Every structure is written in structure tokens, then in C-alpha cells.
């Protein structure tokens, strides 16, 4: 079954997001755990988290995807930023357990002058301090575009983090189409080759979700500027191949394109048309 959603505003709580998703033809969604620029999270609304699972079940929702704030940088040079990131991550993961069995995605981080190796060690340390054996949430490392000193621009970097995490059965990967294309993985001309590489280095069983974004910039630009589907350098044909690829088609897809709800609705309609259902 084709599972598709997009990034939604948390203003109406989980029920509000569930209803927004249904209104635009989605059957999952992504949301920020708190203000994307950081800061305190809203208090959990017990009624809201109690009611959401029923809506999700009745409408066959795929897992919902929480996204950590962009300011979370557990490999920052500044110790206070690292500590703040750790605190946010631990708090987010505690809150995720109100809706068990879902997904939490974060940007591995930017180590700046400390370098990649130190960065990878700090990210793994953070995960080892935060992931608990009893948690039901799977933590996802996002593939990054490689702007600045971002870690996660290569599959090898993600693999190195995973290898250093003790409870790595609770770790997965979120592949962002804009990011990997900007990072130099040619999903336009060689999708199979990129997936083979992913499988060889990380293992496709780690791949849990796809962020579907076109890119405002050409191949290998290391920029990370999302474009609406079909209007960037990746293009509609590639998205058609991605959502129908035998190794990807059963994963949930999440749009993070520059859109409001009506724009997302149109993109979801377009993607549903591009989906070939013979194999479902
Ligand atoms: Fe992201
Ligand atoms: Fe993304
Ligand atoms: Zn991005």
C-alpha cells in the first residue's frame, strides 16, 4: 500500500494533524517535536494522545515521523549547545513514548572545526546516553546535503555512527531525496546504483522512511534547498521511479516541500497518479 504524508503544523495537536492529513489525502505525517529553532516543547495533551491512535488505526496510518529541531546539534563545538541538544533529544524520546512505536528523525549534526571523526564520536555518545532499552521509538539518522560541516553527507558516515551505538537495533535511516542528490548521489541517472551502495554500506533494512523533496540546486551542490515536486533538478520522472521502486515502494514517504496544505494536497494527488498499483 502506498503510504504518503507531509510535514504538518502541530497547532491542532495529533488529532488536528491526523485530520489535516486526511483532508489532503495523506495517511501519515511528519511534525516538529518543538519549535524548529529550539526551545521548550508544548505540554503533552493527554486527551489528544489518547484519542489519536484510534484515528490512525481507522484510517490505516503509517507510522508518524517526529522531526527534532534544527538547533539540536549533539556534536557542536560548544559544550553548552551539545548539552542542550542532549537534553532536547532525551526529552523528545520520553515524550514519543506517549504514542509508542513511532519514529524520531534528527540531523546528525555539524562538528565544525572539530572534524568528522570527533563529530561521529560525539553523535554516537549522545545516542548511547539517550536511547533506552525499553523505548519503542526508532531513532532515524537523516542523510544530509553536506552544507557546512554537516555529518551524514555520505553513507559511510552514517554507518560509522550506527556501528558505535550499543542499542543500534533502535536506529534507522531517513533518506532525503534532495539531500542525497545535493550530496552527490545520482538518484536521477542511477537510482539502482545509489540503492546498491546504500545496501552495501548501511544495509537497506535500516532504511525506514523517505523524505520526498525536489532540489532547487543541481547535482552535488551541497546546498539543501527543497523545491516542490517536479519543479527542481530531480524532476517528476525520478520521483515516479522512487515511489515505485521495488526496494522503496513499501516505505512511507513524507513531503517536506515548500507548500501549505493545498499545495501538499496537489502533490499527493500527483504522486498517487504516478504510483503504479499493479504490485500492491
Ligand atoms: Fe530534516
Ligand atoms: Fe529531510
Ligand atoms: Zn533539507
Amino acid at each position: 500500500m502506498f503510504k504518503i504524508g507531509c510535514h504538518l503544523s502541530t497547532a491542532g495537536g495529533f488529532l488536528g494533524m491526523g485530520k489535516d492529513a486526511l483532508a489532503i489525502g495523506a495517511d501519515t505525517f511528519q511534525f516538529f517535536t518543538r519549535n524548529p529553532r529550539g526551545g521548550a516543547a508544548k505540554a503533552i495533551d493527554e486527551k489528544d494522545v489518547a484519542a489519536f491512535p484510534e484515528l490512525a488505526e481507522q484510517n490505516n496510518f503509517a507510522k508518524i515521523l517526529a522531526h527534532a529541531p534544527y538547533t539540536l546539534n549533539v556534536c557542536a563545538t560548544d559544550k553548552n549547545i551539545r548539552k542542550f541538544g542532549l537534553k532536547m533529544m532525551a526529552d523528545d524520546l520520553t515524550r514519543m513514548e506517549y504514542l509508542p512505536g513511532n519514529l524520531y528523525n534528527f540531523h546528525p549534526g555539524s562538528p565544525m572545526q572539530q572534524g568528522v571523526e570527533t563529530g561521529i564520536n560525539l553523535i554516537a555518545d549522545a545516542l548511547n546516553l539517550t536511547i533506552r532499552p525499553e523505548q519503542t521509538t526508532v531513532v532515524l539518522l537523516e542523510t544530509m546535503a553536506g552544507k557546512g560541516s554537516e555529518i551524514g553527507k555520505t553513507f559511510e558516515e552514517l554507518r560509522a555512527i550506527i556501528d558505535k551505538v550499543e542499542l543500534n537495533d533502535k536506529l534507522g535511516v531517513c533518506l532525503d531525496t534532495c539531500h542525497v542528490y545535493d550530496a552527490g548521489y545520482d538518484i536521477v541517472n542511477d537510482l539502482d546504483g545509489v540503492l546498491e551502495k546504500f545496501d552495501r554500506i548501511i544495509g537497506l533494512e535500516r532504511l525506514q522512511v523517505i523524505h520526498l523533496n525536489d532540489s532547487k540546486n543541481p547535482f552535488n551542490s551541497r546546498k539543501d534547498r527543497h523545491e516542490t515536486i517536479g519543479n527542481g533538478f530531480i524532476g517528476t520522472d525520478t520521483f515516479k521511479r522512487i515511489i515505485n521502486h521495488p526496494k522503496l515502494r513499501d516505505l512511507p514517504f513524507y513531503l517536506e516541500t515548500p507548500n501549505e496544505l493545498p499545495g501538499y494536497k496537489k502533490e499527493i494527488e500527483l504522486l498517487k497518479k504516478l504510483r503504479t498499483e499493479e504490485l500492491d
Side-chain angles (χ1 to χ4, degrees):
M1 274 293 279
F2 191 30
K3 293 291 168 196
I4 180 142
C6 65
H7 190 90
L8 293 175
S9 151
T10 53
F14 289 104
L15 269 184
M17 291 189 276
K19 286 173 187 162
D20 281 348
L22 291 172
I24 58 172
D27 42 23
T28 183
F29 55 85
Q30 174 178 273
F31 63 99
F32 281 125
T33 53
R34 59 189 74 221
N35 183 304
R37 302 281 152 213
K42 264 199 289 183
I44 292 277
D45 177 342
E46 303 272 353
K47 267 193 201 151
D48 183 44
V49 292
F52 176 72
E54 194 181 319
L55 178 143
E57 199 183 320
Q58 281 175 350
N59 295 286
N60 261 314
F61 270 40
K63 289 181 181 181
I64 56 170
L65 177 58
H67 197 303
Y70 295 140
T71 45
L72 183 142
N73 185 5
V74 292
C75 65
T77 312
D78 183 331
K79 204 177 168 192
N80 290 323
I81 297 177
R82 283 211 305 274
K83 270 192 179 164
F84 181 56
L86 246 151
K87 219 178 118 189
M88 284 196 287
M89 188 181 268
D91 183 45
D92 282 349
L93 288 176
T94 302
R95 297 158 58 86
M96 288 298 291
E97 295 299 313
Y98 281 89
L99 290 170
N102 287 299
L103 305 164
Y104 178 73
N105 174 60
F106 78 107
H107 295 177
S110 300
M112 304 204 280
Q113 64 275 13
Q114 300 176 104
V116 173
E117 219 185 292
T118 303
I120 286 172
N121 287 330
L122 288 169
I123 296 161
D125 288 350
L127 291 166
N128 281 323
L129 285 167
T130 329
I131 296 178
R132 289 163 301 141
E134 68 275 16
Q135 85 180 40
T136 63
T137 304
V138 172
V139 177
L140 305 180
L141 301 159
E142 184 166 356
T143 60
M144 300 308 294
K147 65 176 187 299
S149 64
E150 267 176 356
I151 288 178
K153 62 195 171 293
T154 67
F155 298 157
E156 284 83 356
E157 289 174 359
L158 295 179
R159 177 58 199 253
I161 297 168
I162 293 167
D163 281 342
K164 288 173 194 286
V165 175
E166 245 169 272
L167 298 173
N168 71 22
D169 58 310
K170 296 181 195 301
L171 276 187
V173 174
C174 162
L175 186 144
D176 185 307
T177 55
C178 167
H179 296 178
V180 290
Y181 192 63
D182 282 19
Y185 289 100
D186 195 354
I187 53 172
V188 172
N189 297 301
D190 188 19
L191 178 59
D192 281 325
V194 172
L195 293 177
E196 261 163 46
K197 218 177 254 177
F198 188 104
D199 194 29
R200 188 161 21 90
I201 296 163
I202 302 177
L204 274 172
E205 68 283 355
R206 294 269 180 199
L207 182 57
Q208 302 261 331
V209 304
I210 307 279
H211 276 168
L212 277 184
N213 302 305
D214 212 327
S215 177
K216 279 195 200 297
N217 292 289
F219 179 64
N220 210 9
S221 60
R222 308 228 157 168
K223 285 283 203 314
D224 188 3
R225 297 267 279 118
H226 302 184
E227 182 52 283
T228 47
I229 299 298
N231 298 312
F233 281 85
I234 297 177
T236 310
D237 286 353
T238 297
F239 287 105
K240 183 174 180 185
R241 279 198 297 278
I242 289 170
I243 61 171
N244 290 299
H245 195 285
K247 293 190 167 139
L248 305 178
R249 58 184 290 121
D250 293 331
L251 297 173
F253 298 91
Y254 303 79
L255 294 158
E256 307 177 296
T257 45
N259 272 313
E260 301 294 331
L261 286 178
Y264 278 133
K265 185 169 188 254
K266 275 192 199 140
E267 280 187 347
I268 290 169
E269 276 163 14
L270 167 73
L271 290 160
K272 283 182 175 173
K273 273 191 209 129
L274 295 174
R275 173 84 168 193
T276 51
E277 293 294 341
E278 303 90 78
L279 298 171
D280 283 347

